[in-house]
Amino acid sequence: MQTRWKIANKVFDFVNAHLFHDESNLAPIHDNPTLYSENRKRALDFVLSELSAMENGCTPMLFVFGDLNFRLDSRSFLNRLTESTNPHSVEQEQMGSLADGLQAQNGNLQVAAHPSENLRRTVSAIEFRRDSDSDDSQNSCVLRIEKKKFDYFNHKKLLDDWKSYRDDDKEAESFKSMFEMNINFPPTYPWSEDPENSETLMKTRAPAWCDRVLMNKAAFSFVKDGEPAYKSFGMETCTGDHKPVMLAFNI
């Protein structure tokens, strides 16, 4: 959604965007670390290109804001969290497609004689465990990651120490024409949706600064001179799994 405003003879474009989320926690680790971030980059690059084509000689101050779904760099973040641990894949057997178990004989399809041959093993979880002489994987597990689970052994510490992994938030850097004020607030996602427990992170995803306000160079230069305040709010209130972010400045 785009709106254009003219204030004090200056043109402002405000564009709300909602980019692709990470469908699985496992895919960036097990398959392709940039699988989802590349999709987001293509989408936002398209939006920026379309906006540029609409300028018609006018270069407005551009603000792109919303749930951009930016995530932490999985490699650097996991290395930070799982130092002195070893990864262990947890596999499960699943049935393949029906076609996998069919064989052609004399032009007719028949079910394979051994259905067990149609089983395939898939990684259902990855556990990062400390070295231990015992077989108690539960007590030695520092982090367990599933498709939609991110279970760190000390989730309160994960939230309290958010400044320690700010450097792992790198996705915005891939948009060279866009700028952002310094972030000095906790991750905006994924917060508990339980009104009685809204000040904690859910164990569904890794923490991330999904909700952002990006600006083009003209807007960034203007905002810097306007005593800006860039912050999230609603930390003591249940606002869903995201916390709102605001950018305030003087005109």
Side-chain angles (χ1 to χ4, degrees), residues 221-229 248-251:
S221 298
F222 183 78
V223 168
K224 282 197 304 181
D225 295 333
E227 300 180 3
F249 55 94
N250 295 325
I251 296 179

Side-chain angles (χ1 to χ4, degrees), residues 17 19-20 40 44 64-70 210-212 214:
L19 302 182
F20 299 99
R40 287 189 285 270
L44 189 50
V64 178
F65 64 96
D67 180 7
L68 304 186
N69 260 312
F70 290 167
C210 291
D211 308 272
R212 315 288 279 257
L214 305 184

Side-chain angles (χ1 to χ4, degrees), residues 10-249:
K10 299 184 183 299
V11 178
F12 297 82
D13 270 5
F14 298 100
V15 178
N16 179 238
H18 188 169
L19 302 182
F20 299 99
H21 73 294
D22 284 18
E23 196 273 335
S24 169
N25 292 328
L26 291 172
I29 303 170
H30 198 257
D31 297 323
N32 179 0
T34 60
L35 174 66
Y36 301 117
S37 60
E38 287 177 350
N39 289 339
R40 287 189 285 270
K41 178 166 173 49
R42 281 192 293 268
L44 189 50
D45 280 344
F46 170 78
V47 171
L48 296 175
S49 176
E50 289 294 298
L51 291 170
S52 178
M54 294 166 54
E55 288 181 0
N56 292 325
C58 170
T59 304
M61 286 180 277
L62 172 63
F63 297 79
V64 178
F65 64 96
D67 180 7
L68 304 186
N69 260 312
F70 290 167
R71 305 301 171 101
L72 301 181
D73 180 272
S74 57
R75 287 179 177 172
S76 61
F77 179 55
L78 290 180
N79 285 339
R80 193 184 305 276
L81 284 188
T82 61
E83 187 177 3
S84 301
T85 68
N86 292 311
H88 297 264
S89 296
V90 180
E91 296 182 339
Q92 66 179 11
E93 290 184 342
Q94 293 183 342
M95 292 297 296
S97 68
L98 179 61
D100 292 337
L102 298 178
Q103 297 177 339
Q105 289 187 359
N106 299 324
N108 298 317
L109 288 177
Q110 296 182 349
V111 178
H114 302 287
S116 61
E117 295 175 357
N118 196 30
L119 291 173
R120 54 187 173 88
R121 303 190 68 83
T122 61
V123 174
S124 62
I126 298 175
E127 290 186 349
F128 294 86
R129 305 173 192 163
R130 297 189 184 95
D131 291 332
S132 174
D133 294 332
S134 70
D135 294 329
D136 189 355
S137 62
Q138 183 174 357
N139 289 332
S140 65
C141 184
V142 171
L143 174 65
R144 180 182 173 94
I145 300 176
E146 300 176 12
K147 181 178 180 180
K148 294 187 177 180
K149 184 176 183 179
F150 191 91
D151 191 357
Y152 188 59
F153 81 106
N154 189 339
H155 235 60
K156 184 179 185 304
K157 184 177 186 298
L158 187 63
L159 176 57
D160 292 343
D161 292 351
W162 62 266
K163 290 183 180 179
S164 69
Y165 49 86
R166 268 293 304 136
D167 288 344
D168 300 321
D169 175 43
K170 304 174 182 178
E171 194 166 338
E173 297 173 4
S174 63
F175 301 96
K176 302 303 182 184
S177 65
M178 303 300 287
F179 302 84
E180 185 177 22
M181 304 307 298
N182 290 331
I183 291 177
N184 192 29
F185 48 83
T188 64
Y189 175 84
W191 289 84
S192 172
E193 297 176 294
D194 178 1
E196 302 299 322
N197 196 30
S198 61
E199 298 179 27
T200 61
L201 294 176
M202 290 193 292
K203 296 183 178 183
T204 53
R205 306 286 187 178
W209 285 267
C210 291
D211 308 272
R212 315 288 279 257
V213 181
L214 305 184
M215 297 160 275
N216 65 2
K217 187 175 182 179
F220 184 66
S221 298
F222 183 78
V223 168
K224 282 197 304 181
D225 295 333
E227 300 180 3
Y230 188 36
K231 60 184 180 180
S232 63
F233 57 97
M235 295 300 169
E236 299 176 355
T237 304
C238 184
T239 61
D241 56 351
H242 291 257
K243 294 298 183 184
V245 169
M246 63 170 287
L247 172 63
F249 55 94

